[in-house]
Amino acid sequence: MCPATLSYSSNSCLNARNEIFSSKKCKTKLPIRADQVLTVSPKKREQSIHELLSVQGISHTHRRVREVVWKQTNVTNEYLCCRNPRFDPMFLDEAYELCRKICEEYAKTFYLGTKLMTEDRQKAIWAIYVWCRRTDELVDGPNADYMNNSVLDRWEQRLEDIFNNKPYDMLDAALTDTICKFPLDIKPFKDMIDGMRMDTRKSRYANFQELYMYCYCVAGTVGLMSVPIMGIAPECSVSAQTVYNAALHLGIGNQLTNILRDVGEDALRGRVYLPQDELAQFGIRDEDVFARKVTDQWREFMKEQIRRARFYFNLAEDGASHLNKASRWPVWSSLILYRKILDAIEENDYDNLTKRAYVGRAKKLVTLPVSYARALSLPSLAIQ
């Protein structure tokens, strides 16, 4: 990249950013309720896990979310203009076009859903998708064997440079420009990197509380990043917090579904992304997962895990239809398609150890008009 292409904001603008995104004052306005931590007793196995476990006991995660919501909803247009790095327009067009191509290639259904969004929102959501994909590739991509904490530390420093108008390459520049147009806080991006760190040091999760934190970091954060881009409908009758919560729940549901879909593949890598205490309640050990034998105990265990994922998808509906109308289609597409992955696991008789549940192209195409209709529905109708 030619250094002359970039023009950086003044220190006064960066100081203004720090005043908004690091203000102690904002933290005092965020009362945190300590939620009761619930566990599943073996004596209550007949009671659905999802009835006992919602967003339970993750008060520290709730605090993160509330802080991000406050910061991202209290940024003025004057501040956004102040931090504009003023890239060359032709350079930016090329950067966003590269992001568009990557999104189109690797997330075809989601990409189609973005086509109804305004041009600025399209470009921004493509830039965020690309950064998230590149972050995920650090631990799941072809160079994952070389991954270590120092690599993630350098990636986090690079993220800070992006937010300080010092992008390293063209794709970074697209995100820098997006940050200058939309009120995005760095915290969800950093939390995603923390999720990658979990992948480098953890292959087991003792309980759902630990697993929830992982799901928040690697997927729930995407929802927090996306809401400022997609926008909240002007006629929205619920609070911004409700919409952000729905976005978070969609990310949690998506990641729980990914985990259930990929159990067999993860087992081959020596990983078990399932709550150890709940496996034990059904008499299942890690060795049983690695043996990839589908037993009656496994089927019953899977039924409860699927119910939990659906529970989060139901929560996500509460806010999906309060987004800006032009931005709802990709969200509803995600909701419907991921639910169909859960359906596919059931259709495979809960064998996700030797079979990978997937939604075929034909079924995906059928869901597009359904999700489009949901996107255009009034909130009261969409969540019925």
Side-chain angles (χ1 to χ4, degrees):
M1 178 187 297
C2 175
T5 307
L6 308 181
S7 175
Y8 305 133
S9 301
S10 66
N11 289 334
S12 62
C13 290
L14 295 181
N15 289 337
R17 170 196 181 80
N18 291 335
E19 288 176 8
I20 292 175
F21 285 153
S22 301
S23 171
K24 294 181 180 179
K25 192 176 295 184
C26 76
K27 295 180 181 180
T28 63
K29 296 183 179 181
L30 303 172
I32 306 302
R33 181 175 62 85
D35 295 323
Q36 182 180 3
V37 179
L38 301 177
T39 55
V40 182
S41 168
K43 296 180 180 179
K44 297 183 179 180
R45 185 177 298 173
E46 67 274 12
Q47 187 173 10
S48 239
I49 288 176
H50 82 287
E51 292 174 346
L52 297 173
L53 298 171
S54 54
V55 191
Q56 44 152 286
I58 321 291
S59 58
H60 54 293
T61 304
H62 284 171
R63 179 169 185 172
R64 293 185 187 197
V65 173
R66 291 174 189 236
E67 289 177 349
V68 169
V69 173
W70 192 95
K71 293 172 184 177
Q72 294 186 163
T73 55
N74 285 275
V75 175
T76 65
N77 290 333
E78 181 181 355
Y79 166 71
L80 291 176
C81 292
C82 179
R83 68 180 185 180
N84 190 344
R86 296 180 294 277
F87 293 110
D88 179 86
M90 292 184 64
F91 170 79
L92 269 183
D93 287 344
E94 188 176 351
Y96 279 120
E97 175 62 14
L98 184 56
C99 290
R100 184 196 69 78
K101 289 180 178 178
I102 294 172
C103 187
E104 182 182 24
E105 180 177 356
Y106 293 102
K108 292 180 174 61
T109 304
F110 177 79
Y111 170 76
L112 285 175
T114 66
K115 300 302 286 181
L116 286 183
M117 299 170 71
T118 63
E119 183 178 355
D120 278 352
R121 285 177 173 156
Q122 281 182 348
K123 290 178 177 179
I125 211 72
W126 297 337
I128 288 177
Y129 169 83
V130 168
W131 184 86
C132 291
R133 180 173 180 81
R134 295 174 89 186
T135 303
D136 184 66
E137 286 287 300
L138 293 175
V139 295
D140 282 336
N143 296 317
D145 291 341
Y146 304 100
M147 176 51 48
N148 55 53
N149 281 330
S150 63
V151 174
L152 290 171
D153 289 343
R154 290 196 297 272
W155 188 250
E156 184 169 354
Q157 179 57 56
R158 183 162 159 175
L159 171 68
E160 292 177 357
D161 289 341
I162 290 172
F163 271 76
N164 286 325
N165 295 345
K166 300 176 182 178
Y168 179 79
D169 62 15
M170 182 175 286
L171 295 175
D172 286 355
L175 183 56
T176 293
D177 185 66
T178 291
I179 292 163
C180 294
K181 292 177 178 176
F182 296 90
L184 290 166
D185 181 31
I186 196 172
K187 185 59 179 172
F189 294 84
K190 285 193 169 189
D191 285 346
M192 176 173 280
I193 296 174
D194 282 344
M196 302 304 118
R197 289 193 176 96
M198 291 183 195
D199 268 330
T200 65
R201 64 174 183 258
K202 284 178 72 73
S203 59
R204 304 289 188 280
Y205 291 85
N207 49 47
F208 181 64
Q209 184 172 357
E210 287 190 6
L211 185 61
Y212 179 96
M213 190 61 193
Y214 172 73
C215 291
Y216 159 74
C217 286
V218 301
T221 51
V222 179
L224 303 186
M225 299 172 196
S226 301
V227 172
I229 310 301
M230 294 185 167
I232 298 175
E235 68 277 10
C236 178
S237 59
V238 300
S239 67
Q241 184 71 56
T242 298
V243 178
Y244 271 90
N245 286 345
L248 172 64
H249 295 149
L250 177 58
I252 299 295
N254 284 353
Q255 187 59 28
L256 290 174
T257 301
N258 286 337
I259 288 170
L260 300 183
R261 179 194 62 195
D262 299 338
V263 167
E265 294 177 12
D266 289 332
L268 294 175
R269 300 162 57 197
R271 294 180 173 275
V272 181
Y273 290 95
L274 298 166
Q276 292 287 306
D277 59 345
E278 294 173 22
L279 283 168
Q281 289 162 19
F282 285 84
I284 302 170
R285 302 170 301 166
D286 286 350
E287 291 77 8
D288 299 319
V289 178
F290 296 147
R292 305 174 78 187
K293 293 182 179 179
V294 181
T295 63
D296 288 340
Q297 290 93 330
W298 178 260
R299 292 186 181 92
E300 292 304 311
F301 173 73
M302 272 300 116
K303 288 177 184 178
E304 296 301 320
Q305 302 304 310
I306 289 173
R307 288 191 186 104
R308 172 186 282 148
R310 285 180 173 145
F311 174 78
Y312 280 97
F313 287 140
N314 291 340
L315 291 178
E317 286 193 5
D318 291 342
S321 293
H322 290 286
L323 293 170
N324 185 285
K325 183 177 289 188
S327 303
R328 295 173 195 165
W329 194 14
V331 177
W332 277 105
S333 295
S334 178
L335 264 169
I336 293 173
L337 286 173
Y338 269 79
R339 279 171 165 159
K340 286 190 174 296
I341 293 174
L342 298 176
D343 294 342
I345 295 174
E346 292 174 331
E347 291 166 3
N348 288 338
D349 195 24
Y350 304 98
D351 181 3
N352 50 355
L353 293 172
T354 65
K355 298 177 182 179
R356 192 175 195 270
Y358 70 96
V359 181
R361 180 176 176 80
K363 287 186 177 180
K364 286 183 179 180
L365 292 175
V366 169
T367 63
L368 286 175
V370 176
S371 57
Y372 179 73
R374 288 289 188 95
L376 297 181
S377 299
L378 295 173
S380 60
L381 297 177
I383 63 176
Q384 285 180 354

